[in-house]
Amino acid sequence: MRRRDIIFILMLLFVALPAAAGRETYNLNSGWRFFDGRQTSSDGARTVMLPHTWNPDATAGNAHYYRGTGNYLKEFDAPSAWSGKRVFLKGYGGNSVTTVFVNSRLAGEHRGGHTAFCFEITDLLRHGAQNFLRVVVNNSPSLDVLPTAGDMSVYGGLFRDMEIIVTGRNAIALTDHASDGVYIRQRNVSRQRVEADAVVKLSGSGNVQVRVAVTSARGDTVAVGSGRTTLTRGAMATVTVPFVVDNPRLWHGVKDPHLYSVHVALMSGGVIEDAVEVTTGFRHVEADAARGFFLNGESYPLRGVVVHQDRPLVGNAITARQAAEDVALIKEMGANAVRVFGVAHHPEFYRICDREGIVVWSDFPLVGPAYLADVAFVDTEAFRANGLSQATDIVRQQFNHPSVAIWGIFSNVRMRDRALLPFVLALNDFAKSEDAMRLTAASSNDNGEINFVTDLICWDHHFGWREGHPSDINIWKRDFRAQWSNLRSAVSYGAGASIDHQGPLGLRPDDDGVWHPEQWQTYLHETYYESLRDDAWLWGIFAGNMFDYGAAGLEQGGLRGINNTGLVTFDRVHRKDAFYFYKANWNTHDPFVHIADRRWNIRHEAVQNIKVFTNIDEAELFVNGISQGRLVPHHGTAAWEDVELRNGVNLIEVRGGEHSDTVRLEIRSDERRTLY
């Protein structure tokens, strides 16, 4: 039997092994005691479960929410069976600085609030005995931990899972920025052939072998390979295993988000000492200044949303289930792309985007100012080092996700400090050198050479919200195309809306004021979309934001502590009208009818316009059971004008095939009106 055949059979045997072979993982989410830095003794510590934040005061809109230290205490047993093995402590998020002690000895410190951290604790344990774990988290303001600006609430806490991982004496590197330790580098991707490397980082000592098997979603083994090296204690080694997949099924966004599994085993003396399985997809992305975004060589315009992850009461301490709810809402609306704003999100968010085919633009934490006192960039070595460290965390932890196609280098920073440009160049160079198969991008609302650093640029506009009129986007577009058509550009935009603020469309509301009518938000999104929808030169349009989010320093739109520019409310309960406008244009799979302005259910004029968002070919309006005619929607919108209603309650129904929507609209023509 040929050596190649022997290896192939061995790999098939390896694939059949349980996923846990060579590695044990223990969840640590329960049984923590917590007290914050304002308490003088741990005697008053309360029992909490991860994910956890101590800042419900921020989600309640307290601008002076507690920013300081929180202490998490836990006892756990280290079985005698762990003796002779290696033990690691991994946490998936603690904001902003996390310091870990095991049995009162320092295990390590992580400076960055939204990426994972991992420390080896092998030599700190007492085997066959109880061990004491203390984690100190600090969300105090700091000028050397990014982001240092922005209106997002800075929640403190261990707001993601924590676990203990046990391996053999040799391990696939868990401490390489808390990544998988396995990086699937795609060198050439086509529908005929994928050429890639499994780059595996290792630690330990002695001679070891790395075995790799690639399987399809059906479980077919499509590629195998192996490599050897000699490990030296205290140093990290790398083994690169090349492989080829013929006639691959490419990851092609929402059309076909096909995934492959890559099984990696680390063996020594014929024994599996560690094993990892990573999920990935093969795809190629590019963008053109004249033709937009391409996926696997095909035009693939990105129709996306900007996403924040926090929620009422829990802040960023969301669960995997809640991350899945967010993606389900994004998918329902029909978006095929998301921009993960400012900080890394829950790991499950990226896994679901992989499965659902949603293209991800993943930001680094260099965020521009939102308040007068904000300092977005600090010209110190500590600031630059932290920015690069967090960028490394993000790239390596998200490396194998096929959904992640774009690294966001900065968000709306301003060229007030000349030292900022070299820092942005360094971040961009790092992203390109670390990962040549992805594009870099930036969000900008300023002029200057900083806009020419990244592969892509997204212009963040506020026409019709902070200034001017929504239709000013047409003037900008004309001037931009005349002067800067060589740039690969996208556009993002948005406006605030309170579902409690309803009334006729009037003058532009004050973005910093009390009155944020839902009708204006809808109008702004309709205007921008109508202007941009057919522009093939844009690689993407991004509606901001998908969800309202916590901004404890804000008091606007009748709300305290919430930025209400979302298409869905902070609690994910209410979809605003603009959500249904996009659903009508982007979601062609789920037929629906939605009567707009439904929350404006008490009016004073008997003659009204009735507007509907729908993706159905034809809709018919009924008022109090009487047909008002049929309309063919234009860009997802059908509007009946000058509809006569009676004084009192009217039943409004719109039908489209088997689908319908009904609201009750009350006319009070004799009642005193309110002026805003």
Side-chain angles (χ1 to χ4, degrees), residues 26 60 63 124 130 200 249 270 318 327 426 437 496 623 664:
Y26 302 88
L124 305 180
Q130 197 169 68
V200 185
R249 186 172 165 187
I318 66 169
V327 178
M437 290 295 289
V623 176
R664 282 177 166 77

Side-chain angles (χ1 to χ4, degrees), residues 122-404:
T122 304
D123 297 334
L124 305 180
L125 295 176
R126 296 191 290 259
H127 296 289
Q130 197 169 68
N131 292 260
F132 180 66
L133 178 61
R134 177 175 181 173
V135 182
V136 181
V137 185
N138 190 344
N139 73 331
S140 300
S142 173
L143 290 181
D144 62 2
V145 179
L146 283 67
T148 55
D151 67 351
M152 301 176 294
S153 296
V154 184
Y155 306 104
L158 284 175
F159 52 67
R160 296 199 187 120
D161 295 350
M162 184 169 282
E163 59 194 21
I164 282 179
I165 300 172
V166 182
T167 72
R169 294 304 300 176
N170 297 308
I172 297 170
L174 285 149
T175 55
D176 186 34
H177 287 264
S179 70
D180 296 325
V182 176
Y183 306 94
I184 308 305
R185 294 190 177 274
Q186 302 173 37
R187 289 181 277 108
N188 294 292
V189 175
S190 72
R191 295 194 179 277
Q192 292 73 43
R193 182 181 176 90
V194 167
E195 298 175 357
D197 296 324
V199 179
V200 185
K201 295 193 176 182
L202 310 167
S203 63
S205 62
N207 298 321
V208 296
Q209 181 183 27
V210 173
R211 294 182 174 180
V212 175
V214 183
T215 59
S216 69
R218 296 189 307 176
D220 299 326
T221 301
V222 297
V224 296
S226 65
R228 294 180 180 274
T229 193
T230 300
L231 302 180
T232 302
R233 187 172 304 281
M236 194 173 291
T238 299
V239 172
T240 299
V241 179
F243 64 87
V244 172
V245 178
D246 291 317
N247 301 312
R249 186 172 165 187
L250 300 185
W251 189 91
H252 201 73
V254 294
K255 297 178 182 178
D256 187 13
H258 186 79
L259 298 173
Y260 288 84
S261 295
V262 181
H263 310 262
V264 180
L266 173 62
M267 304 186 69
S268 177
V271 176
I272 295 179
E273 294 204 76
D274 197 7
V276 171
E277 177 184 336
V278 300
T279 301
T280 195
F282 305 121
R283 49 94 185 106
H284 174 65
V285 296
E286 57 186 321
D288 182 86
R291 299 180 299 147
F293 191 85
F294 284 77
L295 178 61
N296 302 321
E298 297 180 12
S299 177
Y300 196 85
L302 299 185
R303 300 295 177 252
V305 289
V306 182
V307 179
H308 296 257
Q309 66 178 334
D310 60 335
R311 294 193 179 207
L313 300 180
V314 299
N316 281 339
I318 66 169
T319 63
R321 176 186 59 80
Q322 290 169 322
E325 289 175 353
D326 283 359
V327 178
L329 283 164
I330 293 165
K331 187 179 179 185
E332 178 193 339
M333 200 177 79
N336 66 4
V338 297
R339 177 189 172 199
V340 176
F341 183 85
V343 295
H345 284 198
H346 195 292
E348 185 66 11
F349 184 88
Y350 303 96
R351 288 191 284 266
I352 300 171
C353 287
D354 290 344
R355 296 196 298 267
E356 298 296 341
I358 296 174
V359 174
V360 175
W361 162 3
S362 181
D363 270 352
F364 293 172
L366 180 58
V367 177
Y371 304 114
L372 185 62
D374 275 351
V375 180
F377 170 73
V378 184
D379 187 13
T380 65
E381 282 302 316
F383 182 94
R384 286 188 287 269
N386 183 257
L388 184 59
S389 177
Q390 288 198 57
T392 308
D393 287 349
I394 290 169
V395 171
R396 295 189 184 177
Q397 290 172 25
Q398 298 175 17
F399 194 91
N400 296 316
H401 290 289
S403 60
V404 178

